[in-house]
Amino acid sequence: MLPLHSPPLWRQIQRKNFTNIEKLLEFLQLPPELSAKVLKKNSFPLNLPLRLAEKIPKGTIDDPIFRQFVPLVEEEMTGSEGFSCDPLLENSFKKTPRLLHKYHGRVLLVTTGSCAMHCRYCFRRHFDYFPEPTFTEEYQLIADDPSVNEVILSGGDPLSLSDKTLRTLLENLSAIPHIKKIRFHTRFPIGIPERIDDEFIALLNSCRLRIWFVIHCNHPNELDEDVSNALERIQKSGIVILNQSVLLKGVNDTPETMAALCQLLVDKGIVPYYIHQLDKVEGAAHFEVPEREGLQLIEKLRRLLPGYAVPRYVREVGGDLHKTPLESS
Ligand code: SF4
């Protein structure tokens, strides 16, 4: 029997994440010539849930899950043209260290620096996170600006926060009359679907605001039965789920893979919303797919899928007041 105040199951699972590269290499049974391609030390450390590591075939690095989460020596290739530590110029949109106001009508709250996993291409991999999850100043700024009707909970990953912290957050935002919508940007259910437990669902159901979920899934291998069941629990609460993917070399840069992902998403009632061109963050240049190839991929997707299953191909340009659609540029 578990002790009375033991952490929830999802937190216990999270603590079993691989964070030690040597242990992961042993688990993946990589031969020395492939181990040599793995970066052993990095300021953006390894963080990989066991269930994702279990999806990687043994003895290979040629795998979409491996490439997304295991650091390669290519990350040390710095100075690639246009790549920087703050590719979206987020520092210039900070109202506080945790509140970004970039687009009309919505603000983004960087709720935590913690995630279920560390994606090697993350555009916030160099972000200066604030450790303490209290948002007094941010609530006041949001309350003072009636033009804002939506708050995006981002990070890191907002589902890293405890239900207690999230409840306080939702209650405080709900108390602001002009706030109508909350958007969760999360990848947690892909890595630790146990996060979507009874308590979390009850929390969502108790919120007066309209809630949207935007998940982040890049490859069909990420969407297994446990993940689908967790997402279905959210949908059964009347919440719409959108997906955004990042176009990544060696992960999802073929029409067949992307079509399979989009098909799987719509079969589960999830809208394939965006394919993002890679944000040019320092350390991720080896993931870049040229826009020309991305456009060809989208063109092929149009032939393979119904219109509603084809995501919008966009790029985020630092300083622009909306995302840039690439198909019309
Ligand atoms: S889950 Fe999101 S915020 Fe966290 S590392 Fe991945 S892309 Fe970045």
Side-chain angles (χ1 to χ4, degrees), residues 44 115-119 121-124 129 155-157 187 216:
F44 184 54
C115 294
M117 67 280 259
H118 280 173
C119 315
Y121 51 86
C122 178
F123 69 89
R124 291 210 182 107
Y129 287 107
D157 195 314
R187 194 149 161 64
H216 170 178

Side-chain angles (χ1 to χ4, degrees), residues 56-71:
I56 303 172
K58 303 289 187 233
T60 181
I61 63 171
D62 189 14
D63 173 79
I65 303 286
F66 184 102
R67 276 190 70 79
Q68 288 185 75
F69 303 112
V70 184

Side-chain angles (χ1 to χ4, degrees), residues 99-109 142 145 147-152 179 181 183 273-274 321-323:
L99 187 72
L100 273 62
H101 195 175
K102 190 168 174 185
Y103 298 145
H104 180 74
R106 60 261 194 214
V107 290
L108 186 144
L109 204 51
I142 296 168
D145 186 349
S147 75
V148 174
N149 60 60
E150 178 175 21
V151 179
I152 300 168
I179 296 303
K181 301 181 283 290
R183 205 192 311 168
Y273 183 42
Y274 280 141
L321 297 180
H322 55 79
K323 295 193 198 310

Side-chain angles (χ1 to χ4, degrees), residues 5-224:
H5 296 295
S6 64
L9 176 65
W10 66 268
R11 190 72 89 188
Q12 297 173 47
I13 291 171
Q14 187 180 25
R15 287 178 187 158
K16 291 185 185 149
N17 276 14
F18 279 103
T19 53
N20 180 304
I21 199 86
E22 297 301 339
K23 283 190 183 153
L24 178 67
L25 294 181
E26 199 182 319
F27 178 81
L28 297 176
Q29 299 171 21
L30 285 189
E33 67 276 15
L34 293 182
S35 286
K37 298 187 180 203
V38 173
L39 188 60
K40 308 296 182 303
K41 267 201 167 149
N42 196 277
S43 55
F44 184 54
L46 172 77
N47 181 21
L48 178 63
L50 178 60
R51 74 189 317 277
L52 283 173
E54 283 174 342
K55 293 183 181 192
I56 303 172
K58 303 289 187 233
T60 181
I61 63 171
D62 189 14
D63 173 79
I65 303 286
F66 184 102
R67 276 190 70 79
Q68 288 185 75
F69 303 112
V70 184
L72 293 174
V73 289
E74 280 124 303
E75 289 189 24
E76 289 194 311
M77 239 176 21
T78 53
S80 300
E81 198 189 331
F83 282 73
S84 70
C85 288
D86 181 17
L88 304 185
L89 307 180
E90 289 197 312
N91 280 323
S92 59
F93 294 102
K94 282 180 177 171
K95 298 292 168 200
T96 75
R98 286 178 294 213
L99 187 72
L100 273 62
H101 195 175
K102 190 168 174 185
Y103 298 145
H104 180 74
R106 60 261 194 214
V107 290
L108 186 144
L109 204 51
V110 180
T111 57
T112 169
S114 176
C115 294
M117 67 280 259
H118 280 173
C119 315
R120 306 313 307 171
Y121 51 86
C122 178
F123 69 89
R124 291 210 182 107
R125 55 180 289 166
H126 306 287
F127 196 89
D128 212 0
Y129 287 107
F130 239 65
E132 189 54 39
T134 52
F135 305 101
T136 317
E137 193 186 352
E138 287 77 12
Y139 296 139
Q140 193 56 55
L141 284 168
I142 296 168
D144 288 346
D145 186 349
S147 75
V148 174
N149 60 60
E150 178 175 21
V151 179
I152 300 168
L153 304 182
S154 181
D157 195 314
L159 268 59
S160 304
L161 298 173
S162 68
D163 287 340
K164 187 166 171 252
T165 304
L166 281 175
R167 183 174 293 282
T168 307
L169 191 53
L170 291 180
E171 283 172 359
N172 282 310
L173 292 172
S174 299
I176 302 172
H178 50 267
I179 296 303
K180 309 291 182 209
K181 301 181 283 290
I182 294 288
R183 205 192 311 168
F184 281 90
H185 276 193
T186 180
R187 194 149 161 64
F188 224 102
I190 305 292
I192 305 180
E194 293 82 357
R195 178 67 185 91
I196 314 303
D197 57 14
D198 292 347
E199 291 70 26
F200 182 66
I201 293 292
L203 173 61
L204 295 179
N205 287 332
S206 69
C207 183
R208 78 151 177 97
L209 301 168
R210 169 67 64 187
I211 295 179
W212 292 71
F213 264 69
V214 181
I215 60 163
H216 170 178
C217 180
N218 293 324
H219 191 278
N221 289 7
E222 294 167 44
L223 272 180
D224 60 42

